[in-house]
């Protein structure tokens, strides 16, 4: 988790770091943090449909409104 936090601080426009940090938060059960990171990664990766699909899946799984 700390590695990804360092990466998002160093490269805030890199979707992979946000996405990986989100997945780490999911694994740790940190739902609000995961959602925030997924929402950061999605607009940075508009050309990668898998990112938006994962955000939608996460929102459905956790009953969050899709952003």
């Amino acid at each position: 988790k700390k590695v990804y936090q360092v990466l998002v601080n160093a490269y805030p426009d890199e979707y992979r770091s946000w996405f990986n940090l989100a997945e780490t938060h999911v694994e740790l059960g940190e739902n609000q943090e995961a959602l925030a990171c997924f929402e950061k990664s999605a607009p940075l990766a508009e050309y990668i449909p898998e990112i938006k699909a994962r955000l939608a899946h996460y929102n459905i799984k956790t009953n969050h409104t899709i952003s």
Side-chain angles (χ1 to χ4, degrees):
K1 176 175 157 180
K2 289 181 183 182
V3 170
Y4 293 126
Q5 288 172 327
V6 167
L7 288 172
V8 297
N9 288 332
Y11 305 101
D13 294 331
E14 175 54 54
Y15 81 89
R16 288 179 192 96
S17 299
W18 286 108
F19 183 79
N20 290 334
L21 183 56
E23 291 290 356
T24 301
H25 284 302
V26 168
E27 291 294 319
L28 295 172
E30 299 169 344
N31 294 330
Q32 291 298 330
E33 294 88 347
L35 181 61
C37 291
F38 278 131
E39 289 178 339
K40 288 273 193 179
S41 71
L44 298 172
E46 290 185 33
Y47 55 93
I48 302 175
E50 293 83 6
I51 301 297
K52 290 198 185 244
R54 182 65 177 107
L55 174 58
H57 177 263
Y58 180 77
N59 279 320
I60 290 167
K61 179 180 170 184
T62 59
N63 273 337
H64 285 99
T65 303
I66 296 175
S67 298

